[in-house]
Amino acid sequence: MKFFIDTANLEEITEAKIWGCLAGVTTNPSLYAKTGGVLSDFESHMQKIAELCEGLPVSAETTATTIDGMVADGRRLAALAPNIVVKLPVCEAGLAACRILADEGIRVNMTLVFSATQALLAANAGARYISPFLGRCDDIALDGTSQLADVITCIKNCDWPDRNPDGEVEIIAASVRTANHVVQAALLGADIATVPMKVLKKCLHHPLTDAGIAAFEADWERVANA
Ligand code: E4P
């Protein structure tokens, strides 16, 4: 399973990139709002992220609600950089816009997916990535993990050779709130988990690793001073 970072924050993306294990970035309007960015800077901010992550997919989300609006936003966002993936919500307009954009060779990440049927419709409409949400299910006592399992089984049961520009569909476990979500997503066979920096750090750090590093450092200091 690959790791994407779920943020629009340039410092966090830079830090995650240095780790050497970053495979992409997802953003959404709320994550952009968190950076303190203004509307007029949105596209240049997405362009900066795309340049910073050259060669890696960077999802930029439309806020339009009509087919025409989503298609227009999608074309503009995709024109910013070759690695931009257009993020669309799974709804009637989103599916229609996805089909139009996919037929033009534009990659789409279909977001706000909460069921296997939504995922199947998205894949058939030409989505390159499908993002089932874990945390928001858990928030209202639904089982996000079993929903993700259903999505994975249904999507992996089929091949998608002609539906989208790359002829494959990857599932991004999204709305990841805990390190356990990351493990569950990997165990279930998700292709990607998009993970906030706070959770990435929880995935990395372990008290026994920290204690081990400290002990090796102390012992080496003794060797150096002997
Ligand atoms: C990513 O594609 C989603 O927009 C994001 O993971 C949502 O996460 P949240 O439910 O924590 O806001």
Side-chain angles (χ1 to χ4, degrees):
M1 186 181 76
K2 292 178 276 190
F3 279 95
F4 285 9
I5 188 164
D6 197 24
T7 185
N9 181 300
L10 293 169
E11 287 76 36
E12 288 183 348
I13 295 167
T14 305
E15 188 181 351
K17 244 192 100 197
I18 292 169
W19 289 12
C21 51
L22 189 67
V25 178
T26 52
T27 68
N28 64 34
S30 308
L31 293 171
Y32 178 64
K34 255 196 201 168
T35 67
V38 295
L39 186 58
S40 57
D41 290 342
F42 173 66
E43 290 183 10
S44 69
H45 191 84
M46 289 301 128
Q47 203 161 21
K48 275 187 205 148
I49 297 177
E51 279 165 15
L52 185 60
C53 299
E54 201 189 344
L56 304 180
V58 172
S59 290
E61 189 160 343
T62 176
T63 48
T65 53
T66 62
I67 301 171
D68 288 349
M70 288 181 187
V71 170
D73 275 4
R75 286 179 181 147
R76 244 190 2 269
L77 291 168
L80 295 174
N83 53 332
I84 294 268
V85 174
V86 176
K87 211 166 165 201
L88 298 173
V90 66
C91 58
E92 284 91 337
L95 291 177
C98 182
R99 178 76 277 147
I100 293 167
L101 294 170
D103 286 345
E104 293 177 10
I106 294 172
R107 292 176 184 83
V108 171
N109 172 2
M110 193 133 277
T111 190
L112 290 166
V113 170
F114 289 95
S115 72
T117 50
Q118 289 178 324
L120 285 165
L121 290 166
N124 277 289
R128 169 67 179 79
Y129 299 95
I130 294 176
S131 294
F133 278 38
L134 285 169
R136 292 190 197 190
C137 286
D138 295 354
D139 287 347
I140 56 166
L142 293 175
D143 188 348
T145 308
S146 85
Q147 177 261 125
L148 174 64
D150 286 352
V151 168
I152 291 170
T153 305
C154 290
I155 295 299
K156 300 294 169 190
N157 268 344
C158 309
D159 289 327
W160 306 94
D162 307 316
R163 303 309 296 176
N164 68 58
D166 295 330
E168 64 165 321
V169 175
E170 286 182 290
I171 295 161
I172 306 178
S175 190
V176 165
R177 306 272 176 77
T178 65
N180 203 34
H181 279 157
V182 173
V183 176
Q184 289 302 317
L187 288 171
L188 291 170
D191 300 290
I192 298 154
T194 190
V195 185
M197 184 44 113
K198 198 173 72 180
V199 180
L200 274 179
K201 289 193 172 169
K202 288 195 170 139
C203 290
L204 175 61
H205 292 295
H206 193 288
L208 292 178
T209 307
D210 295 343
I213 290 172
F216 288 150
E217 276 175 4
D219 288 340
W220 201 242
E221 187 111 351
R222 271 199 295 281
V223 169
N225 293 328

